[in-house]
Amino acid sequence: MNQQQHTLGNIAAHQGSIILIDKPRGPSSHQVAAWVREITGVSSVGHTGTLDPPVSGVLVILLGRAVRLTSILHQDDKEYIALLRLQGDVSDNDLKEVILHFTGRIYQRPPKRSAVKRALRIREIHELEMLDRNDRLVLLRVKCDSGTYIRSLCHHIGLACGVGGHMVELRRTRSGPFYEKDCVTLHALRDAVEQARTGDETALAQIIRSPL
């Protein structure tokens, strides 16, 4: 077995492994998982908590036997930073009061373009905080149940304000116990794998995590 086979084989050995990728805007979560498969050479690769192509942030990639944990990790709560654009003028006090009403259990229906059945669902918003505001642009931090549609949440906040609104940008900053500060880019992963192929596995060892 050569050095490359030894290094990449260790990734999926035993109970499997986790890699936290900072997903860029543009590709789908499925495409990012496919790139990780190509970079590492591990055939069994999955991910939890799908991010739409325009959304960036924490994407948990599972390798080897860790793929079996997909359904479990998918249920972890999530945290996002969302940029909401209001379509009319709303005072700070009125906006804060509306935001307060969206904390707790809410009803949502998946968007028409969603791949899941559009049945009414209940999700809980654990924390909803206005971080900053510039006129009609509002920066929100959302801690919520898995499966919460942040785009729908922004739309409903705008409606509740009486002016309408829509999500401009979204980034996932946490998925369960995994935070954005612990993520690496696809480029960093590729560099670490290439370095491991030369015999230095230091960078790769820092990226690969045990699922336990």
Side-chain angles (χ1 to χ4, degrees):
M1 179 181 294
N2 60 35
Q3 181 63 42
Q4 176 182 343
Q5 291 172 325
H6 175 72
T7 299
L8 302 185
N10 284 341
I11 294 177
H14 305 300
Q15 71 270 24
S17 301
I18 292 176
I19 296 179
L20 304 180
I21 293 293
D22 188 338
K23 177 191 170 298
R25 298 179 63 188
S28 65
S29 297
H30 179 75
Q31 179 62 70
V32 172
W35 283 333
V36 172
R37 181 184 299 111
E38 178 184 338
I39 291 170
T40 61
V42 177
S43 59
S44 182
V45 176
H47 65 83
T48 69
T50 300
L51 293 175
D52 290 339
V55 181
S56 66
V58 181
L59 183 63
V60 181
I61 300 291
L62 307 175
L63 300 96
R65 294 184 179 181
V67 173
R68 301 174 183 177
L69 301 175
T70 300
S71 60
I72 298 175
L73 296 179
H74 182 74
Q75 299 173 12
D76 286 342
D77 63 349
K78 309 292 192 294
E79 190 167 315
Y80 298 89
I81 301 296
L83 184 61
L84 160 68
R85 183 188 296 277
L86 297 171
Q87 296 171 348
D89 296 328
V90 181
S91 70
D92 278 347
N93 287 338
D94 287 346
L95 179 57
K96 290 177 181 178
E97 184 175 350
V98 167
I99 288 175
L100 183 63
H101 285 297
F102 279 89
T103 303
R105 290 161 64 88
I106 63 171
Y107 291 91
Q108 288 193 324
R109 192 182 301 277
K112 291 182 179 180
R113 62 181 179 180
S114 174
V116 302
K117 183 179 180 181
R118 298 190 68 241
L120 196 65
R121 57 171 64 181
I122 298 176
R123 291 294 183 269
E124 183 166 356
I125 306 297
H126 304 287
E127 296 177 17
L128 182 56
E129 175 186 10
M130 183 170 69
L131 298 177
D132 198 5
R133 182 178 182 184
N134 183 3
D135 195 15
R136 295 181 180 180
L137 289 174
V138 183
L139 194 64
L140 300 171
R141 182 182 67 85
V142 186
K143 180 181 177 183
C144 57
D145 282 351
S146 176
T148 303
Y149 290 97
I150 308 300
R151 186 179 301 276
S152 296
L153 176 65
C154 289
H155 174 68
H156 290 149
I157 289 174
L159 290 178
C161 288
V163 297
H166 63 275
M167 188 185 78
V168 178
E169 193 168 344
L170 183 65
R171 177 172 176 81
R172 182 192 287 161
T173 55
R174 182 178 64 80
S175 179
F178 307 115
Y179 290 79
E180 64 175 336
K181 65 181 179 61
D182 300 315
C183 292
V184 298
T185 64
L186 287 164
H187 294 293
L189 175 61
R190 181 177 292 278
D191 288 345
V193 170
E194 292 300 324
Q195 186 175 343
R197 287 171 176 167
T198 67
D200 184 357
E201 300 185 16
T202 305
L204 190 59
Q206 293 175 346
I207 291 175
I208 295 183
R209 295 167 169 267
S210 168
L212 301 180

